[in-house]
Amino acid sequence: MEHQHKEATIPHVLIFPLPIQGPINCKLQLAELFCLSGLKVTFLNTIHNQERLLRHTNVQSRFEKYPGFRFLTIPDGLPDEHPRSFEQFGDIISSVQTVAEPFLREMLRSGAKELVTCVVPDALSYYVADIGNEMGVPVIPFDTLSPSCVWVYMCLPKLIESGELPFKDNDLDASVTHIPALEGLLRRRDLPPFCLMDYKTDPDFLAALKQVERIPQSHGLILNTFEDLDRPFLSCIHSYSPKTYAIGPLHLHLKAKLSSKNAPSSNSLWEEDHSSIKWLDAQPMGSVLYVSFGSVVVVSKEEILEFQHGLLNSKVKFLWVMRPNILKGGESDVQFMKELAEGCKGNGYIVSWAPQKMVLAHPAIAGFLTHSGWNSTLESVSEGKPMICWPHYVDQRVNSRLVNELWQIGLDMKGICDRSTIERMIKDLMEIKRDELKKSIEELSKLAKLSVEEGGSSYNNLDCLIDDIKELARTKENENIRM
């Protein structure tokens, strides 16, 4: 009877993403993988982002088929008129934390109506680990950054202790030491931007240090990658967090587990313009450059015009995503955007948001001009599309360096925004270096697909993660019985 009782225990996982597009997308994919494995999942979203999801996707009907799944929402604590752009990211995170802390304590208390087996927050929400430890609920952060950047974060205390941080001069091309597996590869300019700031006072630097402190106090760490791509960094991270689960690329993992009859799903906070696919259908195979700066990067009009001239001068066909909130300072200029679209007609097609995974999988796409966010990088690797990298925030600078120097699957245009360089880089990607870059990335693409098949590293790691969560539920059940 006791054995049957244990088997009947269904783990309940609380997933809590950062309130921005990338982490929400990743954690919804993870939530569906958990549901497919029979786990109960509560997805805690902000009201603002949940409303956007419901407005632009079929997420409600998609998850209704999983009886153990539910959405919960909390306010983000911001007024309705707040722009909620990445330029105010610090405000958003601290406001959500103020609301989330008492909510999580109540939800995780031992006498709660529905017991939570474990919490899967973003690693940046380091306070969740403190609450979990206080309430006796295991926390398994899901860090949606690249493993290489996670490892850089883990080495920050060593960089400070050695005196390498703060930098003693302005030579951004100087090599960075004291980061095993990345020595001789990274320069100062390749580190996250906050590394140029004072680690004693800069809020982003302080948040990164708190994040790193909490990981060893957590039950494990989830990463969206596969071992053949990031083995050296995963090996280093394992020494810091022994239970590290590399289960990506998540979108490929989910695709492999779902029936091929399922229509492509979206987790977008913006309305996707599917006319982009119709436009691609009319283009020759391997002739188009896809251009997108992701969901958070903001740019100036001057930078946009440099890209426009570089793209047009290259004579290459291009599909360009221009988000409604892409201009710096929250500026909105409908006339400017209209003139931009008009000026690109013939060679280019501009949309406000695109179904990116469908775009990258399209045979007309030959390359990707990207901000080097980790989701975009993995999606490009998965579809075998070489990249031009124009990075800005968080892990993007590290990613772009590895794309160019380590994996040799693209070109790094870090810190540059002039039309002649843009034109030259496009010609290199689409013509001069096309074959060698394509060969390298297609090899990685094959390994990515193999990793999520039965017996593959990510397939096995996901099984291990789910088994560990089930064991946590059984352990908790036994403790309750003994009490």
Side-chain angles (χ1 to χ4, degrees):
M1 288 294 290
E2 186 184 353
H3 177 72
Q4 289 175 349
H5 189 70
K6 287 183 182 180
E7 286 299 306
T9 303
I10 301 174
H12 177 203
V13 183
L14 173 63
I15 297 181
F16 179 40
L18 285 181
I20 50 176
Q21 176 68 79
I24 289 171
N25 177 39
C26 277
K27 287 179 176 60
L28 279 170
Q29 291 169 347
L30 180 63
E32 193 158 6
L33 286 168
F34 281 167
C35 288
L36 288 165
S37 298
L39 306 187
K40 290 173 64 177
V41 176
T42 296
F43 194 93
L44 182 61
N45 208 357
T46 65
I47 294 170
H48 175 80
N49 284 328
Q50 186 67 12
E51 287 174 349
R52 291 178 68 187
L53 267 182
L54 295 178
R55 192 157 60 242
H56 300 307
T57 74
N58 66 345
V59 71
Q60 189 78 47
S61 59
R62 210 166 75 232
F63 278 92
E64 277 175 356
K65 63 177 178 276
Y66 303 115
F69 179 89
R70 65 170 174 163
F71 281 113
L72 270 186
T73 56
I74 54 172
D76 61 14
L78 298 169
D80 291 343
E81 65 274 11
H82 193 284
R84 294 172 174 83
S85 77
F86 200 73
E87 289 172 296
Q88 295 89 26
F89 187 62
D91 293 344
I92 298 169
I93 295 303
S94 59
S95 181
V96 169
Q97 180 176 347
T98 301
V99 177
E101 283 188 328
F103 184 90
L104 289 169
R105 278 198 174 85
E106 178 62 21
M107 194 169 177
L108 301 184
R109 66 185 175 84
S110 59
K113 184 178 178 182
E114 192 171 8
L115 294 179
V116 173
T117 305
C118 65
V119 188
V120 177
D122 195 282
L124 184 57
S125 301
Y126 51 82
Y127 58 91
V128 181
D130 296 340
I131 295 170
N133 289 334
E134 176 190 327
M135 310 303 284
V137 178
V139 174
I140 311 175
F142 178 4
D143 203 322
T144 55
L145 302 181
S146 63
S148 54
C149 191
V150 172
W151 178 234
V152 169
Y153 276 29
M154 290 176 171
C155 291
L156 289 174
K158 191 184 297 184
L159 291 173
I160 294 168
E161 186 184 337
S162 69
E164 190 156 1
L165 285 176
F167 302 140
K168 294 182 173 53
D169 55 53
N170 296 321
D171 181 9
L172 294 182
D173 287 316
S175 292
V176 177
T177 56
H178 299 94
I179 306 182
L182 283 166
E183 289 185 337
L185 188 63
L186 290 188
R187 306 158 299 177
R188 290 173 176 174
R189 70 172 67 252
D190 302 315
L191 294 175
F194 62 73
C195 289
L196 299 173
M197 307 301 175
D198 183 351
Y199 69 90
K200 295 177 182 176
T201 58
D202 181 73
D204 292 338
F205 210 135
L206 291 170
L209 289 172
K210 288 176 183 175
Q211 176 179 330
V212 167
E213 286 171 4
R214 300 315 192 276
I215 289 174
Q217 300 169 23
S218 301
H219 181 79
L221 178 65
I222 302 169
L223 296 171
N224 185 17
T225 191
F226 57 103
E227 290 181 3
D228 282 315
L229 182 67
D230 280 313
R231 184 170 282 108
F233 317 118
L234 290 170
S235 177
C236 293
I237 292 168
H238 270 292
S239 66
Y240 197 88
S241 175
K243 287 195 173 187
T244 296
Y245 310 90
I247 61 172
L250 277 175
H251 71 286
L252 284 187
H253 218 148
L254 191 54
K255 184 179 175 183
K257 288 191 180 291
L258 290 170
S259 165
S260 58
K261 295 177 184 176
N262 283 54
S265 59
S266 167
N267 299 320
S268 175
L269 300 179
W270 284 273
E271 184 176 0
E272 294 175 338
D273 186 343
H274 284 258
S275 70
S276 54
I277 302 300
K278 291 181 181 177
W279 184 81
L280 287 173
D281 288 342
Q283 310 307 318
M285 187 178 292
S287 65
V288 178
L289 178 69
Y290 174 51
V291 185
S292 175
F293 304 136
S295 61
V296 297
V297 170
V298 290
V299 295
S300 66
K301 288 181 182 178
E302 291 74 23
E303 288 170 324
I304 288 172
L305 290 173
E306 289 301 309
F307 272 99
Q308 181 191 24
H309 285 291
L311 286 161
L312 290 173
N313 293 344
S314 74
K315 303 291 192 293
V316 165
K317 294 269 190 178
F318 58 92
L319 171 64
W320 192 359
V321 172
M322 294 293 289
R323 286 187 341 264
N325 65 342
I326 199 168
L327 291 175
K328 282 182 178 173
E331 186 180 357
S332 178
D333 193 329
V334 176
Q335 185 60 31
F336 174 76
M337 292 298 184
K338 187 177 177 182
E339 289 171 3
L340 185 74
E342 197 64 35
C344 290
K345 273 186 178 174
N347 268 36
Y349 189 64
I350 294 181
V351 294
S352 60
W353 197 245
Q356 181 161 290
K357 290 190 285 290
M358 292 175 68
V359 167
L360 288 170
H362 200 284
I365 295 292
F368 185 10
L369 201 169
T370 173
H371 65 303
S372 291
W374 188 236
N375 278 352
S376 290
T377 302
L378 267 187
E379 287 166 10
S380 207
V381 166
S382 299
E383 297 301 337
K385 303 296 165 71
M387 291 162 268
I388 297 171
C389 303
W390 193 54
H392 287 70
Y393 310 131
V394 201
D395 61 342
Q396 297 167 14
R397 297 186 185 190
V398 179
N399 301 343
S400 65
R401 182 65 169 173
L402 299 194
V403 163
N404 192 120
E405 293 293 321
L406 179 64
W407 301 316
Q408 298 180 0
I409 55 176
L411 310 170
D412 190 357
M413 199 170 70
K414 182 183 288 106
I416 301 169
C417 186
D418 68 79
R419 62 191 67 184
S420 60
T421 303
I422 294 165
E423 178 188 351
R424 175 174 54 81
M425 288 273 193
I426 292 170
K427 287 180 176 176
D428 279 350
L429 185 85
M430 301 290 281
E431 298 167 17
I432 298 167
K433 298 181 179 179
R434 177 173 178 145
D435 290 344
E436 60 183 276
L437 292 172
K438 191 172 174 60
K439 183 183 177 186
S440 297
I441 202 164
E442 283 181 346
E443 288 173 2
L444 279 180
S445 176
K446 288 175 187 172
L447 293 171
K449 292 178 173 72
L450 286 171
S451 74
V452 299
E453 292 180 3
E454 188 169 359
S457 62
S458 294
Y459 184 100
N460 292 339
N461 287 336
L462 179 63
D463 275 357
C464 184
L465 170 60
I466 290 164
D467 286 345
D468 283 354
I469 292 172
K470 288 178 178 177
E471 182 57 34
L472 288 173
R474 284 192 290 268
T475 302
K476 191 72 175 175
E477 182 84 7
N478 290 337
E479 287 174 357
N480 290 338
I481 291 169
R482 284 196 295 271
M483 288 171 67

